[in-house]
Amino acid sequence: MTVLVVFASFLLAANMHVDAESSVPGASIVLQNAAEKGMTMPAIGIGTGGYGAPAETWNDGVAMKAVSTWIKLGGRRIDTAWDYYDQTGIGQAVYAAIDTGSIKRDDLFIVSKTHLLSGYNDTLSQLEDSLKQLQVEYVDLFLVHSKTIMPNSTDPKCQPGDPNLESACVKSTWKAMKEIFQRGRKGGARAIGVSNFEVEQLEYLLDDSILPSLNQVEYQPYWHEEDLVEFCRNRNITFNGYSPLGTPDFGPRARNWNCSLLELPLVKSIATAHNKSSAQVLLRWNWQQGIPVNPRSEQEEHMKENLAAILDETFHLTDSEMHALSNISPKPKCPKVCVFGPNCNPRDHHNYH
C-alpha cells in the first residue's frame, strides 16, 4: 500500500495532545477502550527488550542504568515485559528515582507484558511477578505479549486438542486481562492491550464488551502494515510501533539481517537535509503518522536525540520525504526482526516481500 502522510491529518487520527504537566513538555496519546477515562500515554518511551542479546550486554544492571538515565533526562514511559528478564533492574531504577524525590509514581508510565499468550492463571501470576520485580503497586499498561501460545500453559483452553485453540486461548487470556484492568491501581493495570496481534487475533475479541486499548507491533520503513494500523484506529485501538529503528544492534546475531535502516542512503540524505541523525528521521517518520514509539538505547546522547525527534515542534519531514520512506524499493531480503524472537509466529514471514 502506498503511503503519503500529511502531518496535520494524523494529529486528529492519533488523538495527540500536549501534556502540560510533564517535566518534558511534549505530545502524548489518549488511550481508549480498556483504559482509565481520559488516560494519556507519552508518545515516546524507552524500550528495554534485549532481542536475544547476550546476558553480558543486556541484563538487569544495564537496564537499571539505562532507565535511570532516561528518567533523569525527563523520559517518562518505560516499556518492559515479564520475559525481558530485566524488570528487577528497572524496578531498582524506578524505586531510586521515587525514593530520592526526583519524581512521583504518577509521573511515570510503566508498560509490562505477559510471556507469550499464556492463558488465564499464568497471565495473572505473571502480572504479580512483574509488580514485585518492578516494585510498584500497579502498571499503567499491561499487554498480552504475543499471539504465540505459551508451551507450558496451565490453561486447558491453551493446550493442544481444541480445533479452535488460538481463539479459545486468546479469549481465556483476555478474561484474565479484564480482571487485571478491573483491579486498576490496586494490584492491576490502568489499561490493558495486546502486542504482536494481527487482524485475525484482534477479531477474536471484537464481540467482547471491552476491547484492547493498544496493539504494539513492529513498525519501521522496511515493515509497516497500514491495513493493521487502519483496522486498529477504526476501533479506537492505539497502534504503538516497536523496533522503529530496525534494531540494528540485533543484526550481527541474526541470520540474513544485514539491512540497517540507519545506514540507508535515503535515510542519511534526509537526515543531512534537516541537520538531524538517521535515528531521528526514522522516529519522526513514525510520529508524523501518529504512531508512538519506544526505541531502546543505553547511551545518554542517543536518548536525548530520541526525545528531541518527537518533542521538537520545528522538525517536520516533508510529504515527499514521508512518501519515500514509506515506499523504499527494493526491500532487503530479510524478515522483520520479530520473526527471530520467541514472541512471534514464524508464519509472519510469508508477509514479507
Side-chain angles (χ1 to χ4, degrees), residues 8 44 158 318 328:
I44 183 167
C158 298
T318 66
I328 295 173

Side-chain angles (χ1 to χ4, degrees), residues 167-329:
S167 172
C169 189
V170 166
K171 291 180 179 180
S172 187
T173 300
W174 193 245
K175 180 180 178 181
M177 294 293 287
K178 289 191 292 184
E179 288 191 20
I180 288 168
F181 177 49
Q182 289 172 353
R183 295 178 192 175
R185 296 174 187 249
K186 297 181 179 179
R190 298 173 60 215
I192 55 173
V194 296
S195 180
N196 297 305
F197 271 38
E198 299 292 334
V199 170
E200 180 182 358
Q201 291 76 40
L202 291 170
E203 286 180 333
Y204 297 146
L205 300 174
L206 292 186
D207 60 353
D208 199 290
S209 60
I210 299 179
L211 295 180
S213 65
L214 179 144
N215 187 18
Q216 186 181 114
V217 180
E218 180 172 349
Y219 198 85
Q220 34 102 343
Y222 284 148
W223 184 272
H224 44 97
E225 300 173 83
E226 283 83 14
D227 289 347
L228 178 58
V229 175
E230 183 179 6
F231 183 92
C232 289
R233 284 182 171 159
N234 286 342
R235 292 155 182 83
N236 295 321
I237 300 171
T238 293
F239 189 93
N240 175 197
Y242 70 75
S243 297
L245 309 181
T247 57
D249 61 326
F250 185 70
R253 289 182 292 278
R255 184 179 60 186
N256 298 328
W257 187 265
N258 58 356
C259 45
S260 173
L261 281 164
L262 296 175
E263 298 301 320
L264 195 70
L266 170 65
V267 177
K268 293 175 73 173
S269 67
I270 294 174
T272 298
H274 291 273
N275 194 28
K276 301 292 183 181
S277 69
S278 291
Q280 288 177 308
V281 167
L282 296 171
L283 294 176
R284 195 70 194 183
W285 174 80
N286 276 267
W287 186 229
Q288 284 188 207
Q289 297 176 68
I291 295 175
V293 291
N294 28 276
R296 178 166 64 85
S297 178
E298 302 171 38
Q299 306 300 322
E300 182 169 340
E301 287 306 309
H302 290 169
M303 293 182 197
K304 290 179 180 178
E305 285 186 355
N306 294 346
L307 285 166
I310 305 301
L311 304 177
D312 183 357
E313 297 180 356
T314 67
F315 177 30
H316 299 291
L317 300 178
T318 66
D319 289 348
S320 61
E321 290 168 340
M322 292 291 292
H323 179 85
L325 290 168
S326 298
N327 294 279
I328 295 173
S329 182

